[in-house]
């Protein structure tokens, strides 16, 4: 018995938002400090502040405000995503000005540079003047902090498994073939009787469907005689119809099995069983030898089995061709099935004339 367990890896995040209102925005910085800190707010177990610089020192002479997020917890390290916004005071909606939402920023309170993240040129004062972000000379900065904690791996837990057995419909159909109690048609093949089921035959073969299409009277069993087919071949045909496979035929030697497959190929064509036809072609391709290649070539030529015909031609390398052409089956093929290939073989036997 096998068992399966599973565990999961998750990253816990904590999000918090803080708004910092800057009153008398136009007054700029008042006092000796170059920056102003908001009140401390706590997110994800850490203390934070918004740092606002009203008069950033810019080389190009245009005035800017600077905005940062600062980690205030002492001797702390944190990983966080940051979204710095301004509030549209007409609609009340926040507008992102500068954000990092893909890779968390690493904060370390050991120094101001490592403890802060933001933008020196957050927005120019010229852009802010008479904008939707200033109302009654007030500016509102909003900061959304998402603290990312370490990965957590859960404990193993058992996975509920329901074992489903492999499909066995064909196995049941095979048993159905052996169980004659529900048979409603019998085939008589050279004195042997084979019971079967009309529904199965009609579903598998268009020829059987046409043959058995007439309505059946109550308690009537159809009796059909099959001419020009050996019982072993018809039995193999029924086995395929019910199981989609060929019988093992372990009681037959190589030549006998080859002969059955040849006749089964003809039966497959007769009853419109394309897959069975291809299976027989494949078996015959793999069992070609000097003794049977002429017969199989004649069979392939008669029933337009192109792949099988090509395999026979490929088999006839110069070393094998002489032996095949000397066989009795080859002579029969020339008499009863004079295919173009026989002419090609004859030409290959004739010595080439030397040029004068």
């Amino acid at each position: 018995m096998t068992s399966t367990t599973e565990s999961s890896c998750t990253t816990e995040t904590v999000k918090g938002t803080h708004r910092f209102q800057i009153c008398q925005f136009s007054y700029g910085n008042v006092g000796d400090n170059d920056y102003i800190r908001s009140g401390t707010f706590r997110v994800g177990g850490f203390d934070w502040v918004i740092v606002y610089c009203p008069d950033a020192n810019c080389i190009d002479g245009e005035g800017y405000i600077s905005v940062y997020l600062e980690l205030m917890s002492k001797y702390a390290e944190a990983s966080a995503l940051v979204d710095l916004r301004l509030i549209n005071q007409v609609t009340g909606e926040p507008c992102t000005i500068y954000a990092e939402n893909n890779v968390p920023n690493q904060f370390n309170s050991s120094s101001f540079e490592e403890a802060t993240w933001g933008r020196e040129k957050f927005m120019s004062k010229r852009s802010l003047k008479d904008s939707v972000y200033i109302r009654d000379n007030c500016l509102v900065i909003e900061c959304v902090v998402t603290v990312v904690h370490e990965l957590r791996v859960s404990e193993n837990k058992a996975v509920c498994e329901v074992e489903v057995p492999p499909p066995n419909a064909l196995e049941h159909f095979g048993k159905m073939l052996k169980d004659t109690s529900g048979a409603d048609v019998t085939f008589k093949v050279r004195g042997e009787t084979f019971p079967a089921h009309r529904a199965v035959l009609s579903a598998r073969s268009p020829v059987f469907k046409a043959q058995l299409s007439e309505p059946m009277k109550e308690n009537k069993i159809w009796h059909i005689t099959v001419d020009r087919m050996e019982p072993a071949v018809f039995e193999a045909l029924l086995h395929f119809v019910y199981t989609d496979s060929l019988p093992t035929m372990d009681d037959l030697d190589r030549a006998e099995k080859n002969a059955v497959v040849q006749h089964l190929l003809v039966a497959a064509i007769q009853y419109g069983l394309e897959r069975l036809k291809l299976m027989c072609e494949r078996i015959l391709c793999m069992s070609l030898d000097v003794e049977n290649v002429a017969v199989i070539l004649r069979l392939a030529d008669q029933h337009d089995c192109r792949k099988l015909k090509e395999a026979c031609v490929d088999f006839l390398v110069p070393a094998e061709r002489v032996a095949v052409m000397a066989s009795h089956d080859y002579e029969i093929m020339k008499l009863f099935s004079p295919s173009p290939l026989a002419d090609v073989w004859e030409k290959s036997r004739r010595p080439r004339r030397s040029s004068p």
Side-chain angles (χ1 to χ4, degrees):
M1 179 181 294
T2 60
S3 62
T4 303
T5 58
E6 68 177 8
S7 61
S8 61
C9 175
T10 58
T11 301
E12 182 181 351
T13 61
V14 179
K15 180 184 288 188
T17 302
H18 184 78
R19 287 186 176 182
F20 185 26
Q21 185 174 7
I22 311 299
C23 301
Q24 288 79 43
F25 167 77
S26 62
Y27 293 177
N29 194 9
V30 179
D32 298 331
N33 295 327
D34 294 331
Y35 55 86
I36 304 169
R37 285 190 173 98
S38 69
T40 302
F41 57 96
R42 193 168 181 83
V43 179
F46 300 96
D47 292 330
W48 307 87
V49 296
I50 297 173
V51 180
Y52 166 68
C53 302
D55 296 299
N57 185 17
C58 300
I59 299 175
D60 56 13
E62 185 175 357
Y64 287 85
I65 65 168
S66 301
V67 179
Y68 303 90
L69 173 69
E70 182 180 4
L71 173 64
M72 296 299 291
S73 299
K74 292 184 178 181
Y75 314 112
E77 293 182 0
S79 179
L81 300 168
V82 186
D83 190 352
L84 295 173
R85 309 168 173 178
L86 292 179
I87 300 300
N88 183 326
Q89 298 197 54
V90 176
T91 64
E93 296 295 324
C95 178
T96 295
I97 306 300
Y98 187 53
E100 177 54 81
N101 295 320
N102 295 321
V103 180
N105 187 70
Q106 303 302 315
F107 293 84
N108 191 322
S109 60
S110 61
S111 67
F112 181 80
E113 290 77 11
E114 295 185 46
T116 56
W117 183 91
R119 194 170 191 177
E120 183 180 10
K121 296 183 179 181
F122 187 74
M123 181 167 282
S124 69
K125 290 185 177 181
R126 183 186 302 173
S127 300
L128 284 171
K129 186 179 180 181
D130 299 327
S131 72
V132 295
Y133 303 118
I134 303 295
R135 185 175 185 180
D136 297 331
N137 204 23
C138 289
L139 175 71
V140 181
I141 303 171
E142 181 178 271
C143 180
V144 180
V145 185
T146 303
V147 177
V148 181
H149 290 292
E150 293 182 356
L151 296 176
R152 294 187 178 182
V153 179
S154 67
E155 295 182 358
N156 290 340
K157 64 178 182 179
V159 177
C160 179
E161 287 190 341
V162 178
E163 293 188 7
V164 179
N168 59 354
L170 295 180
E171 179 182 348
H172 288 290
F173 276 105
K175 293 179 180 179
M176 185 179 179
L177 177 61
K178 297 179 181 179
D179 182 10
T180 61
S181 59
D184 53 7
V185 59
T186 60
F187 293 90
K188 192 170 185 180
V189 186
R190 295 188 181 274
E192 294 191 28
T193 301
F194 297 92
H197 306 81
R198 296 177 65 202
V200 177
L201 299 176
S202 297
R204 295 284 283 155
S205 164
V207 177
F208 278 131
K209 183 177 181 179
Q211 191 176 22
L212 303 170
S213 61
E214 295 181 14
M216 184 177 68
K217 296 180 181 180
E218 187 177 358
N219 299 326
K220 177 185 177 182
I221 297 180
W222 284 47
H223 299 280
I224 299 175
T225 300
V226 178
D227 298 321
R228 303 177 64 179
M229 188 177 299
E230 294 296 324
V233 175
F234 191 80
E235 184 178 14
L237 178 73
L238 284 182
H239 187 279
F240 173 82
V241 168
Y242 279 78
T243 67
D244 211 34
S245 64
L246 292 177
T248 58
M249 295 184 278
D250 292 335
D251 56 331
L252 304 179
D253 60 27
R254 186 173 183 274
E256 291 172 335
K257 181 179 179 180
N258 191 274
V260 171
V261 173
Q262 291 178 38
H263 291 291
L264 192 57
L265 171 63
V266 178
I269 297 172
Q270 177 182 342
Y271 287 98
L273 300 170
E274 181 64 21
R275 185 170 185 271
L276 177 59
K277 171 181 173 290
L278 295 176
M279 290 172 65
C280 292
E281 284 192 65
R282 184 174 184 272
I283 294 173
L284 294 176
C285 286
M286 298 174 62
S287 61
L288 292 173
D289 58 31
V290 173
E291 299 298 327
N292 64 29
V293 66
V295 175
I296 295 176
L297 177 58
R298 179 186 177 192
L299 182 70
D301 186 52
Q302 288 176 338
H303 298 284
D304 195 26
C305 300
R306 297 182 182 179
K307 292 292 184 181
L308 183 56
K309 185 186 292 187
E310 291 176 6
C312 293
V313 173
D314 291 340
F315 177 83
L316 294 168
V317 294
E320 303 287 355
R321 186 179 297 126
V322 175
V324 172
M325 295 175 70
S327 67
H328 177 68
D329 291 327
Y330 174 73
E331 296 297 329
I332 295 177
M333 187 184 69
K334 287 200 302 179
L335 292 174
F336 297 99
S337 182
S339 76
L341 289 176
D343 296 334
V344 173
W345 292 354
E346 292 289 356
K347 290 180 181 179
S348 67
R349 295 181 64 186
R350 299 170 187 171
R352 296 181 180 180
R353 295 182 180 179
S354 58
S355 57

